[in-house]
Amino acid sequence: MNLIILSWNYIRSKPLNTLLNMLLMALGIAIILVLILLSSQLEENLNKNKRGVDLVVGAKGSPLQLILANVYHIDFPTGNIKLEEARALTRNRLIAGAIPLALGDNYRGFRIVGTNHEYVQLYEGSLTSGQLWKRNMESVIGANVAERLNLKPGDTFFGAHGLSVADMEHEERPYKIVGVLGRNNSVLDNLILTNIESVWAVHEHEEEHEHSEHADEPELGSAYESGLPEGDEDAEITSMLLKFRSPMGAVTLPRMINSNTNMQAASPAFETQRLFSLLGIGVELLRSFAYIIIIIAGLSIFISLYNALKDRKYDLAIMRSLGASKTKLFVHVILEGVIITVLGGALGFVLGHGLTEFLAGLYEKSEAMGLTGLVFVKQEWWVVVISIGIGLLASVIPAVNAYKTDISDVLAKE
Amino acid sequence: MIIINDLAFGYASHKVLSIPQLQVEEGKHLLILGASGSGKTTLLHILGGLLAPQEGTVRIGQTDLYRLSGAQRDKYRGQNIGLIFQKAHLISALSVQDNLLLAQYLAGMAQDRGRVKEVLTSLGLADKLYKKVKALSQGEQQRVTIARALLNRPRVILADEPTASLDDTNAHKVIDLLKSQAEQNNASLLIATHDQRVKDQFELQLNLATL
Ligand SMILES: Nc1ncnc2c1ncn2[C@@H]1O[C@H](COP(=O)(O)OP(=O)(O)O)[C@@H](O)[C@H]1O
Ligand SMILES: [Mg+2]
């Protein structure tokens, strides 16, 4: 027997009441946890994948969409830009580096990205097997692609037009896998990389069937390591990821591109910031709602303790007559509040993680976004603090009453 | 040995108790008689360290009860004084055994299941060890409170109207039980009652008159 067991026995003696209080507490904590988990993972993911990219240049349209499509590979591209116009831009002396991207196809939901080797370096990707692409129709796949589709170097596959699974396949020209990248929790994990000419070739093929004989020969791609590929005047790419030579670039380049060219420039830093402030309103609302539930839980625990102690003043007096000090009774009542809230918090913890995992399972892009309920983030320690804090707050007045119990008076009034 | 000197207690409206001198030797028993409202409960509470007198001293052996700090007095009471009230107050959230273990725990004594069983057995309650308090009859509950009062081998047992709600046979049985248990534990037994039926069972008696 000790105070914890004693308090626990009292809690157990009114299971319905305890359950209600615990559920209220758990609900509030769970909502907060879902918010913490989702937003911290989202933020981490968004920040990680935009590093090294100062500006994205693509077709005119929504700047946020441009970023989401070309940096995070979750939205659809805004369209295409002329290769020559892009090439002209790279000659600007404020630009230190430019990585071209050609999107448009997928294989079983994994995006095929035409680019050069600098894209792999940008995300510090490294091969676990094989090598990077050199010739047309050679491809390198990310770790998740290899794992999910059980692919390895030497395998071939047909790309499908569009960016989602259901689209039609380009049956004629197969991609050949030449390398697999190791997992590094960047966008690379979920991409299929090839050179831009391969992406063109697949599409050309569809439009101009008559040229098919020479397109099938494996030829060395141009600019597969860096820079922009050779192409005719109609050639198009989807976007370019730019790196500035100096901070001056951030000041003049976006305005120059947006007003003087047919292209659009968008800053990942600015757009993700905007996205967060948009999401932020919803998150704040939900968070306030969760705190209100937690406060109600605290109040409910306070009321039940307060009422219960009215019936228990004989018990308390008896405990005093058995040798318990005032302080012991104080702790006994405090413990009761804290045990309920901590149990509620623990239940909320399980619920919150379960719910996050469930939500992540519902959303097809969650793997690409690195969303899961099965991780622990540092902010979650607040849950422990909040639980104990609410328990203390809810039980302090009843505990003071217990402390002040006039034993003689209570016992004389039997 | 219990020694009272120049004891006085009263409420704002009226005086309740005034005892110049009272002494109960080690292992001796005392019956405190008096009409309802004469101050019997008040006296027991003062003796039990539950209610501080306005004047005078209460000593048990070498210990001056009201010179101890509050927490010290609580501990002293838990270890040396067994209290039995008219109504059986047990902690209904706990089993019989846990009620007794709680008494050991709160008094700061080692928790000894053997001792718990021993005391319950001597009161014919061995089979009630794991029962919930609510599953016991009124009489059984009262015997559990007696067991609880005896558990820590107190030097003094204070019982307030232990026979008030009992019929003649049971009233005598309970008094005999208390006396024999007190003697087994070498404790002084002080019973406050207005029940004239138990008068003959005590040599030493204190009559409280309504002041
Ligand atoms: N809290 C109190 N405030 C005022 N008077 C009280 C209080 N408690 C008891 N009394 C009075 O003190 C007297 C003694 O009470 P008590 O010791 O309970 O008597 P007994 O136990 O002999 O019936 C009674 O007159 C009672 O009304
Ligand atoms: Mg009385």
Side-chain angles (χ1 to χ4, degrees):
Chain A
M1 181 58 56
N2 57 48
L3 284 186
I4 293 178
I5 297 178
L6 182 64
S7 297
W8 173 240
N9 273 296
Y10 274 104
I11 291 172
R12 246 184 23 177
S13 70
K14 36 176 189 168
L16 280 181
N17 205 309
T18 303
L19 196 69
L20 173 70
N21 290 335
M22 263 177 58
L23 283 181
L24 270 174
M25 190 72 196
L27 192 62
I29 294 284
I31 295 176
I32 287 187
L33 273 188
V34 170
L35 293 175
I36 287 179
L37 283 172
L38 289 184
S39 61
S40 69
Q41 290 177 28
L42 207 63
E43 196 167 343
E44 193 197 322
N45 188 279
L46 292 186
N47 284 333
K48 196 159 58 186
N49 285 314
K50 70 163 194 265
R51 66 170 178 212
V53 181
D54 292 333
L55 202 64
V56 179
V57 178
K60 290 210 188 290
S62 149
L64 182 58
Q65 190 185 347
L66 181 65
I67 300 296
L68 291 178
N70 292 288
V71 179
Y72 303 112
H73 301 280
I74 40 180
D75 207 347
F76 293 97
T78 44
N80 284 333
I81 55 175
K82 287 262 175 282
L83 177 67
E84 286 319 311
E85 201 168 7
R87 195 191 307 280
L89 183 63
T90 58
R91 296 191 192 109
N92 190 304
R93 57 178 182 81
L94 288 171
I95 293 171
I99 303 173
L101 298 180
L103 307 177
D105 286 354
N106 81 88
Y107 176 57
R108 303 237 201 133
F110 291 103
R111 291 188 175 193
I112 299 172
V113 180
T115 182
N116 60 36
H117 294 182
E118 282 177 358
Y119 190 65
V120 179
Q121 285 149 26
L122 177 67
Y123 293 113
E124 291 161 9
S126 57
L127 289 159
T128 50
S129 66
Q131 59 195 45
L132 291 180
W133 64 96
K134 279 203 177 81
R135 295 169 199 287
N136 290 349
M137 302 316 290
E138 287 183 346
S139 70
V140 166
I141 58 177
N144 281 342
V145 186
E147 194 184 295
R148 288 288 209 76
L149 304 181
N150 200 14
L151 293 173
K152 55 186 184 310
D155 291 347
T156 58
F157 63 89
F158 290 102
H161 191 70
L163 295 172
S164 51
V165 204
D167 296 314
M168 277 219 339
E169 280 186 16
H170 300 285
E171 294 263 313
E172 291 83 2
R173 298 210 60 179
Y175 282 100
K176 179 165 178 259
I177 297 167
V178 295
V180 177
L181 292 169
R183 183 184 309 280
N184 70 353
N185 298 319
S186 72
V187 285
L188 293 183
D189 291 351
N190 297 287
L191 295 178
I192 298 170
L193 305 177
T194 184
N195 67 359
I196 290 179
E197 283 146 311
S198 305
V199 175
W200 286 343
V202 170
H203 287 194
E204 232 165 57
H205 190 89
E206 219 170 43
E207 288 150 20
E208 311 166 31
H209 283 274
E210 58 272 27
H211 293 305
S212 59
E213 323 83 54
H214 77 98
D216 276 345
E217 294 154 20
E219 50 188 289
L220 205 62
S222 63
Y224 55 85
E225 281 176 317
S226 71
L228 274 56
E230 309 290 332
D232 49 36
E233 72 265 34
D234 291 333
E236 289 182 330
I237 57 173
T238 309
S239 65
M240 254 190 336
L241 309 180
L242 300 185
K243 181 137 192 67
F244 299 143
R245 194 176 299 281
S246 76
M248 264 305 284
V251 184
T252 58
L253 273 176
R255 190 143 35 94
M256 191 277 278
I257 294 167
N258 287 332
S259 50
N260 297 351
T261 70
N262 290 320
M263 304 180 291
Q264 171 188 221
S267 147
F270 180 78
E271 293 304 324
T272 49
Q273 199 48 52
R274 212 163 60 94
L275 180 64
F276 275 128
S277 58
L278 283 174
L279 288 177
I281 302 167
V283 169
E284 275 318 305
L285 259 168
L286 261 175
R287 203 194 297 269
S288 321
F289 178 63
Y291 280 120
I292 289 172
I293 294 180
I294 290 180
I295 289 168
I296 291 175
L299 263 176
S300 165
I301 292 167
F302 165 72
I303 292 168
S304 11
L305 273 179
Y306 192 85
N307 282 336
L309 279 181
K310 272 192 225 152
D311 306 330
R312 265 161 60 185
K313 53 181 204 272
Y314 283 115
D315 286 16
L316 292 171
I318 286 291
M319 288 184 211
R320 287 290 308 284
S321 82
L322 291 173
S325 63
K326 293 175 162 202
T327 321
K328 237 179 197 157
L329 294 194
F330 182 85
V331 175
H332 160 55
V333 175
I334 288 278
L335 270 178
E336 204 166 321
V338 170
I339 290 174
I340 295 174
T341 53
V342 167
L343 284 179
L347 186 65
F349 181 86
V350 174
L351 230 90
H353 281 265
L355 202 62
T356 308
E357 183 64 13
F358 175 73
L359 290 176
L362 287 184
Y363 175 51
E364 50 169 344
K365 281 279 179 280
S366 35
E367 194 174 9
M369 296 301 292
L371 298 182
T372 166
L374 308 178
V375 289
F376 185 84
V377 298
K378 269 204 209 105
Q379 288 130 287
E380 290 185 51
W381 284 111
W382 279 106
V383 171
V384 181
V385 177
I386 291 174
S387 307
I388 295 177
I390 293 285
L392 287 176
L393 272 178
S395 54
V396 70
I397 294 176
V400 166
N401 283 351
Y403 183 89
K404 290 198 301 202
T405 306
D406 181 342
I407 13 177
S408 170
D409 193 50
V410 171
L411 291 174
K413 284 198 184 109
E414 43 193 333
Chain B
M1 187 151 78
I2 303 165
I3 304 166
I4 289 176
N5 271 314
D6 305 321
L7 188 78
F9 185 88
Y11 290 100
S13 48
H14 60 294
K15 261 185 118 165
V16 177
L17 275 177
S18 173
I19 303 175
Q21 167 85 48
L22 177 79
Q23 199 162 318
V24 182
E25 300 290 333
E26 193 89 50
K28 285 275 179 345
H29 307 320
L30 174 72
L31 190 69
I32 302 164
L33 282 163
S36 179
S38 59
K40 302 181 298 295
T41 298
T42 307
L43 178 57
L44 279 193
H45 284 186
I46 291 172
L47 286 168
L50 300 172
L51 184 64
Q54 276 120 10
E55 282 168 40
T57 57
V58 178
R59 278 196 290 142
I60 297 176
Q62 299 302 311
T63 311
D64 187 338
L65 261 191
Y66 291 95
R67 293 186 74 170
L68 297 176
S69 75
Q72 280 173 332
R73 189 159 56 247
D74 289 328
K75 191 167 180 205
Y76 185 86
R77 174 171 58 244
Q79 297 184 346
N80 299 289
I81 302 171
L83 285 154
I84 298 162
F85 305 101
Q86 179 178 345
K87 257 220 214 118
H89 282 312
L90 293 165
I91 310 295
S92 53
L94 301 178
S95 67
V96 170
Q97 171 171 259
D98 284 346
N99 263 280
L100 297 202
L101 288 174
L102 179 69
Q104 290 177 327
Y105 166 70
L106 291 178
M109 317 267 285
Q111 288 172 54
D112 179 352
R113 278 160 207 267
R115 170 69 182 157
V116 168
K117 190 137 197 219
E118 176 188 308
V119 175
L120 284 176
T121 308
S122 78
L123 287 159
L125 291 163
D127 56 328
K128 304 285 189 257
L129 205 56
Y130 303 110
K131 285 259 160 52
K132 281 269 167 208
V133 168
K134 282 179 195 145
L136 301 185
S137 74
Q138 207 59 40
E140 286 166 338
Q141 287 190 28
Q142 195 186 24
R143 272 186 288 154
V144 176
T145 62
I146 294 173
R148 185 175 63 188
L150 295 165
L151 187 68
N152 295 338
R153 297 194 176 85
R155 304 171 65 167
V156 181
I157 298 165
L158 305 174
D160 196 0
E161 313 266 15
T163 57
S165 54
L166 302 177
D167 57 35
D168 290 0
T169 0
N170 279 310
H172 286 293
K173 259 195 196 158
V174 164
I175 297 299
D176 285 338
L177 186 66
L178 281 172
K179 275 174 80 173
S180 67
Q181 290 286 339
E183 266 144 36
Q184 269 176 41
N185 290 285
N186 201 25
S188 293
L189 174 65
L190 280 74
I191 295 180
T193 188
H194 71 278
D195 189 350
Q196 301 292 330
R197 295 174 296 180
V198 301
K199 229 175 152 176
D200 308 333
Q201 286 167 283
F202 288 85
E203 289 169 25
L204 213 56
Q205 301 191 348
L206 172 68
N207 265 292
L208 291 180
T210 311
L211 294 179

